[in-house]
């Protein structure tokens, strides 16, 4: 009898994140550039961490906004370039806008003026 193991989990997430005023930055730590395909999971983990820090639970309190609401999101990909992260009204990943910037301060200014 032959047995095979099928692994259905995606690539492990390797990222760091933090906040800087109204900007939440995410930095991919491995060189595989796989974080973009897993942004829903990344944002869910960051949102959960913010909820742990604040004590809010947006899933059970209908009056509470999503934990990422109000932040401008920046992603530094494996190449070192910054991207604006677009979200929908529910706080889920809706795409990336490449900012074509390597410098954080310039990317910060650009993302603050985006709608």
């Amino acid at each position: 009898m032959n047995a095979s193991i099928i692994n259905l989990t995606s690539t492990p997430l390797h990222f760091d994140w933090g906040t800087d005023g109204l900007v939440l930055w995410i930095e991919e730590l491995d060189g595989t550039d796989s974080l973009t395909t897993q942004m829903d999971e990344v944002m869910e983990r960051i949102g959960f961490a913010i909820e742990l820090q604040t004590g809010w639970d947006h899933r059970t309190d209908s009056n509470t906004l999503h934990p990422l609401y109000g932040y401008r999101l920046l992603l530094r990909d494996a190449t070192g370039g910054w991207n604006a992260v677009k979200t929908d009204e529910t706080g889920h990943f809706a795409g990336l806008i490449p900012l074509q910037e390597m410098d954080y301060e310039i990317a910060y200014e650009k993302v603050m003026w985006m709608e």
Side-chain angles (χ1 to χ4, degrees):
M1 179 170 167
N2 291 334
S4 57
I5 298 173
I6 300 173
N7 187 358
L8 298 177
T9 60
S10 56
T11 307
L13 299 172
H14 299 285
F15 68 95
D16 194 10
W17 69 278
T19 58
D20 186 6
L22 297 175
V23 172
L24 187 143
W25 55 266
I26 305 165
E27 182 175 6
E28 184 166 8
L29 296 179
D30 61 9
T32 62
D33 206 20
S34 64
L35 204 58
T36 303
T37 60
Q38 299 177 13
M39 281 304 291
D40 283 324
E41 172 87 16
V42 169
M43 291 171 61
E44 185 176 314
R45 289 185 185 189
I46 293 171
F48 182 68
I50 291 171
E51 285 185 344
L52 287 176
Q53 291 174 353
T54 62
W56 292 354
D57 189 347
H58 76 282
R59 296 164 295 183
T60 58
D61 185 357
S62 61
N63 297 325
T64 304
L65 298 172
H66 191 276
L68 298 181
Y69 180 81
Y71 284 109
R72 303 293 184 150
L73 279 69
L74 282 175
L75 168 67
R76 185 173 186 185
D77 60 24
T79 66
W82 289 99
N83 302 276
V85 179
K86 295 189 316 183
T87 59
D88 62 18
E89 61 278 352
T90 62
H92 292 94
F93 178 66
L96 290 178
I97 301 172
L99 299 177
Q100 301 176 344
E101 288 297 334
M102 302 294 273
D103 185 75
Y104 174 74
E105 286 80 18
I106 295 172
Y108 182 100
E109 289 296 323
K110 282 186 172 184
V111 79
M112 289 304 292
W113 289 101
M114 297 182 95
E115 291 186 25

